Amino acid sequence: MTDPHDQSSTDDWPETDARVARRTVLKAAGASAALLGTTGVAAQSRPSEDTPGEGTPGHGPPDGGEGGKTSDSPAALDPLFGKPSAGPNPCGGDAGPDCFEDISPTPDYEVELHIDLPGLLFAVVEQELLSVETLNSINEDVADGEVTPGNLHNPRTELEVEQPDGSTTGVTVEGVARLLAGTVGFHFEPAGLHVEPGSVVLFSAETPDHGVAPYHARHGRQNRVPDGVGPFASPLIPVGGYWLFCFSTPGVYDCYCPPHDPFGMVFRVVVSDGEGVPDPNVENTGRPPPGANELPSVLGGLDPNVPSSLAALNSEALAPATIVEDGAVSWETVVASHRSDG
């Protein structure tokens, strides 16, 4: 029987099954972008190894202004479309902070774009290995992010999961619960960042099908950016590629990944010079951030209890004052805060 605390049988499972994810994400998101998932790892913003909330501020123009500087200046970045690159990304993966020197203009901060959806969970639900009673007991038990085997229905029952090559691997019901509890889904890392006006942020695509856009009236959304800021947006960033953007106007920016907004993939950046904390600017000009997270529809009913986009942005973990105080806030901190709130 598989030891539920030993993840050796699950760590070797291949990346998220693209066939299952493609169907379910398209159905849930109602979008043309598809998920080709992989098991993600937690990342850090990388202005320096010791102080992730601090960087060397750039000097960008006012929003919509003309740069008039050299091509390696933050002012050369388009005020709406930034600067995309299909790759290679010198800062991809586990690269150190000196990687910034190989990118022009030089970034001040890095934000990674991730998917954390274990492929084994897709296989378990696709092969219908869990009874309704067992599935519900898993969801109820992991809602707080912890696993208590005594709360699970048949926790030591071993499930034989067929792998893509036709072989099988075993995992217990408790093992499935632990995988689910450790799942944080689609996310920016960090999810909250404090920068000074004129700072350049590097958005690195570590997994597929991600983009960056603000909640903005001209995107048909609730306006959640400082007054006068335009409807900036990245292209769909390929894995190994990146996008650069200069945040010039002080205030709070609430951004989302367009394909993955239904799954809670949001990011808040607070732009200020350190003198006071700006208040969010929210105008009801269109659709607000989704109030429900659609991850259970992707995971066949399994629910890791990850916050919706709206819940994440309303959480104390992403309060502007918290972001300014901490410098950077990890997505895992946001998830833990959400789960502890019940």
Side-chain angles (χ1 to χ4, degrees):
M1 177 175 292
T2 302
D3 182 351
H5 299 281
D6 179 6
Q7 295 300 313
S8 59
S9 62
T10 61
D11 288 344
D12 294 334
W13 189 263
E15 295 180 349
T16 302
D17 189 327
R19 297 166 302 164
V20 178
R22 182 176 292 274
R23 291 197 302 268
T24 50
V25 170
L26 283 174
K27 180 178 179 181
S32 58
L35 164 68
L36 300 174
T38 180
T39 300
V41 296
Q44 297 178 353
S45 60
R46 236 175 359 232
S48 73
E49 292 181 325
D50 298 323
T51 55
E54 299 177 4
T56 303
H59 301 282
D63 292 295
E66 297 297 327
K69 297 188 179 182
T70 60
S71 61
D72 62 352
S73 164
L77 295 179
D78 189 279
L80 292 184
F81 300 117
K83 178 184 176 181
S85 175
N89 180 0
C91 294
D94 296 325
D98 57 349
C99 69
F100 283 13
E101 299 173 3
D102 297 322
I103 297 176
S104 177
T106 304
D108 302 294
Y109 303 88
E110 181 186 16
V111 175
E112 297 184 351
L113 293 81
H114 281 281
I115 302 171
D116 172 21
L117 295 174
L120 181 55
L121 292 181
F122 284 101
V124 167
V125 296
E126 184 182 43
Q127 295 170 34
E128 299 181 343
L129 301 179
L130 299 173
S131 69
V132 172
E133 184 177 2
T134 300
L135 186 148
N136 287 341
S137 74
I138 292 174
N139 287 346
E140 291 173 5
D141 186 51
V142 306
D144 62 356
E146 303 292 334
V147 175
T148 304
N151 294 337
L152 299 172
H153 181 249
N154 298 327
R156 297 195 175 278
T157 297
E158 185 168 306
L159 311 174
E160 293 296 324
V161 187
E162 183 178 350
Q163 300 187 72
D165 64 2
S167 62
T168 60
T169 188
V171 61
T172 64
V173 168
E174 182 181 343
V176 172
R178 293 189 182 280
L179 275 177
L180 188 65
T183 297
V184 295
F186 302 79
H187 60 284
F188 292 87
E189 185 58 44
L193 184 65
H194 177 227
V195 306
E196 295 189 9
S199 295
V200 174
V201 177
L202 167 70
F203 292 88
S204 296
E206 303 294 326
T207 54
D209 285 339
H210 298 299
V212 185
Y215 291 100
H216 196 284
R218 290 181 63 188
H219 291 318
R221 307 305 302 267
Q222 190 180 71
N223 210 64
R224 302 175 73 100
V225 294
D227 288 337
V229 171
F232 62 88
S234 76
L236 199 64
I237 309 169
V239 173
Y242 62 88
W243 181 63
L244 296 172
F245 190 76
C246 181
F247 289 90
S248 299
T249 301
V252 177
Y253 296 69
D254 290 345
C255 303
Y256 64 102
C257 172
H260 303 137
D261 190 24
F263 310 110
M265 190 166 176
V266 292
F267 167 71
R268 171 171 281 171
V269 59
V270 180
V271 180
S272 72
D273 59 8
E275 297 180 2
V277 178
D279 293 323
N281 176 47
V282 179
E283 302 173 83
N284 291 317
T285 53
R287 290 180 294 123
N293 194 309
E294 299 295 338
L295 267 179
S297 65
V298 172
L299 294 173
L302 288 171
D303 185 358
N305 193 22
V306 172
S308 67
S309 294
L310 184 61
L313 294 171
N314 286 342
S315 70
E316 186 60 32
L318 287 185
T322 302
I323 294 173
V324 170
E325 179 179 357
D326 294 345
V329 177
S330 169
W331 176 245
E332 290 191 358
T333 298
V334 179
V335 172
S337 175
H338 171 77
R339 288 171 172 172
S340 67
D341 289 341

